Amino acid sequence: MQGIVGYGAYIPRNRIKVEEIAKVWGADAPSYKKGLMLEEKSVPSPDQDTITMSVEASKNALKRAKIDPAEIGAVYIGSESHPYAVKPSGTVLAEVLGATPEAHTADFEFACKAGTEGMYVALSLVKADEVKYGLAVGADTSQGAPGDALEYSAAAGAAAFIFGKENLVAKSVETYAYMTDTPDFWRREYQYYPQHGGRFTGDPAYFKHVIGAARGIMEKSGMKPADFDYVIFHQPNGKFPLRVGKMLGFQREQIDPGWLVNLLGNTYSGSSPLGLTSTLDISKPGDMILIVSYGSGAGSDAFIFEVTDRIDEVRDLAPKTRYLLGKNKNYLEYGEYAKFRHKIRKAD
Amino acid sequence: MPTPSRYWREIPQRYRFETNQCAKCGLKFFPPRLICPECKNQELEEAKIEEKGKLLTYTIIRVPPHQYVDQAPYAVGIAELDDGVKLTGQIVDCDFDDLKIGMRLKLEFRKVFQEGESGILCYGYKFVPDEL
Ligand SMILES: [Zn+2]
């Protein structure tokens, strides 16, 4: 039986509040906060990117997995903000951990679902006995165009999972993928900021694919919403995951432990994976967890995990996700934020 | 600024804290050496430095070398790691008022600098407060 051997998270300390962004663009902060169900979002420091956050999240996953990193046979980072246009992120991560040279590495991209994509492939390679352990990370330092609605939510964070067949923290019960070609959000080559289809990002994009994947995996496994202790949906804003949960028949208590978006923002490829880490942090042996990601373009990956007894041994071996969300926060003014995110044009 | 080849050569130290120690007197150094500076012994064994320690001294850099201009002002400190190795590095994620001699620090993976807009990205370690 394959599943999760170790998991870890990383969240940068900087935050910016919705009010601080709204003030600059003359927008109405209360209506943004209400509309997005969002208070603030995380911001990476200038010396942090998808690679550095992936390293820290993976080191936390290793602390819980307690395995020899040289036995990791696959290293995948899913992100839409890989620091290099050409040169893999995963090679740096594998080198830091000591997983080189006998490892398969690839960088995944699929808007916000790149993280679960890597998880899907790493888990499958473990299942097929191609590798002993597979590491998959969802990480992003995403950018919204200044003044665009996405600027209020585009955040930074990373979650890492090590998959294997022994000493499982959570067994993989079922996997399922659902996708179509849907142009709801995109960024062309050499463009700095992404564009989106406005209202088109809702019903035919997020809701159609999340519902399709959730219903698909429940049908495949013969389970219904009441069979799960917890559920995590992709969190582009606060409202979407709550609304889709209600449409599918889940209760708020099932969603809450993994619902981080109101204080974290949308960490894109890290979003639903971070929700899974914070849910594992509070779960008990025997708990059933459903996770459904969403990536524009568009598709959803779904996983069902069953938590094992080992959760009680590993939970405290690395910082918990909600601890990282609350510790040592540093609130930025918009000017610092713009400098941190290279939104200011300087002389050469 | 390092060339890609020099950066690449230092990857074992900068990424994984690999070094060596004297097989005779046990002294650990960082970066790795060819001869023990204590007993002049040339017989050395592989080692890793501890990733946690305490702050011995620090200063605030306000007039930095040109590739660090965007980061100024920033703190640089010397820490004594838990294995006794002394290491110099930037201290981040800590307001200057909160820097205290003796405070616990740990090493975290960060981008140290980048070669302009088109050169390589240089990664390595910096100190951050250790709260756990
Ligand atoms: Zn010696």
Side-chain angles (χ1 to χ4, degrees), chain A residues 239-261:
Chain A
K239 268 195 174 161
F240 277 22
L242 298 183
R243 193 187 299 161
V244 84
K246 204 170 182 184
M247 289 162 80
L248 284 161
F250 288 92
Q251 304 298 315
R252 187 73 197 258
E253 308 87 77
Q254 292 166 291
I255 299 172
D256 273 344
W259 189 76
L260 306 167
V261 58

Side-chain angles (χ1 to χ4, degrees), chain A residues 10 13 45-49 51-52 55-56 59 83-84 92 95-98 319 323 327-328 339 346, chain B residues 11 15-17 51 70 72 92-95 106-111 119-121 123 126 129 131-132:
Chain A
Y10 186 84
R13 72 182 291 228
S45 290
D47 61 358
Q48 295 182 301
D49 59 23
I51 290 176
T52 67
V55 165
E56 293 301 322
K59 283 185 151 188
Y84 284 100
V92 181
E95 197 74 67
V96 174
L97 300 179
Y323 166 78
K327 77 154 195 175
N328 195 21
K339 180 186 169 190
K346 293 181 70 185
Chain B
I11 278 177
Y15 285 17
R16 294 189 300 273
F17 313 116
E51 295 180 35
D70 279 353
V92 294
D93 282 12
C94 187
D95 300 336
K106 65 176 177 180
L107 292 166
E108 200 168 282
F109 198 68
R110 298 288 176 118
K111 192 165 72 182
I120 58 165
L121 304 173
Y123 295 95
K126 291 184 183 180
E131 295 137 325
L132 272 184

Side-chain angles (χ1 to χ4, degrees), chain A residues 25-335:
Chain A
W25 302 113
D28 183 43
S31 65
Y32 266 101
K33 286 170 80 168
K34 191 158 168 273
L36 298 171
M37 286 182 82
L38 197 76
E39 299 285 322
E40 58 194 49
K41 67 164 189 172
S42 64
V43 180
S45 290
D47 61 358
Q48 295 182 301
D49 59 23
T50 285
I51 290 176
T52 67
M53 295 192 306
S54 295
V55 165
E56 293 301 322
S58 300
K59 283 185 151 188
N60 285 332
L62 264 178
K63 284 177 194 160
R64 290 194 173 104
K66 296 209 256 183
I67 59 160
D68 176 1
E71 292 190 313
I72 298 173
V75 177
Y76 300 133
I77 300 179
S79 180
E80 61 119 61
S81 48
H82 291 289
Y84 284 100
V86 176
K87 196 208 161 296
S89 302
T91 50
V92 181
L93 173 60
E95 197 74 67
V96 174
L97 300 179
T100 53
E102 279 190 281
H104 184 252
T105 306
D107 290 353
F108 285 80
E109 282 190 31
F110 193 144
C112 296
K113 111 173 167 72
T116 59
E117 235 167 14
M119 291 165 65
Y120 204 99
V121 175
L123 182 61
S124 301
L125 286 173
V126 166
K127 184 180 179 184
D129 286 319
E130 287 289 322
V131 299
K132 183 167 184 188
Y133 298 111
L135 166 66
V137 187
D140 257 310
T141 56
S142 298
Q143 293 263 39
D148 186 89
L150 284 179
E151 193 184 23
Y152 294 87
S153 59
F161 297 88
I162 297 169
F163 299 100
K165 285 197 162 177
E166 290 161 19
N167 293 317
L168 300 181
V169 173
K171 292 186 244 180
S172 169
V173 176
E174 196 60 82
T175 59
Y176 184 81
Y178 184 98
M179 71 97 187
T180 67
D181 185 44
T182 308
D184 58 327
F185 171 92
W186 63 91
R187 180 166 62 84
R188 293 268 303 277
E189 185 114 72
Y190 307 119
Q191 295 296 304
Y192 199 61
Y193 299 114
Q195 294 198 34
H196 53 85
R199 290 199 166 273
F200 183 55
T201 57
D203 289 336
Y206 180 89
F207 291 98
K208 174 184 164 177
H209 294 85
V210 171
I211 288 172
R215 288 200 175 132
I217 199 167
M218 285 194 280
E219 191 177 322
K220 199 176 166 192
S221 61
M223 295 177 74
K224 54 188 188 304
D227 295 331
F228 295 95
D229 296 279
Y230 301 109
V231 62
I232 301 110
F233 300 109
H234 174 54
Q235 301 163 26
N237 54 57
K239 268 195 174 161
F240 277 22
L242 298 183
R243 193 187 299 161
V244 84
K246 204 170 182 184
M247 289 162 80
L248 284 161
F250 288 92
Q251 304 298 315
R252 187 73 197 258
E253 308 87 77
Q254 292 166 291
I255 299 172
D256 273 344
W259 189 76
L260 306 167
V261 58
N262 60 325
L263 297 174
L264 176 61
N266 177 10
T267 53
Y268 284 56
S269 303
S271 174
S272 52
L274 275 165
L276 178 56
T277 64
S278 77
T279 303
L280 286 168
D281 281 340
I282 57 96
S283 64
K284 300 177 302 301
D287 280 351
M288 299 296 287
I289 301 174
L290 170 64
I291 166 173
V292 185
S293 67
Y294 174 72
S296 291
S300 289
D301 298 321
F303 305 78
I304 296 172
F305 292 107
E306 182 183 354
V307 180
T308 75
D309 295 344
R310 195 168 166 265
I311 190 71
D312 293 331
E313 288 168 44
V314 309
R315 191 183 284 120
D316 295 321
L317 298 179
K320 293 191 187 113
T321 304
R322 284 199 184 267
Y323 166 78
L324 293 171
L325 188 60
K327 77 154 195 175
N328 195 21
K329 282 199 243 179
N330 179 41
Y331 284 97
L332 302 177
E333 292 180 1
Y334 194 89

Side-chain angles (χ1 to χ4, degrees), chain B residues 58-65 68-69 71-76 96-97:
Chain B
Y58 67 92
T59 186
I60 309 297
I61 306 286
R62 297 181 191 277
V63 185
Y68 293 92
V69 163
Q71 299 182 44
Y74 57 86
V76 170
F96 297 156
D97 289 343

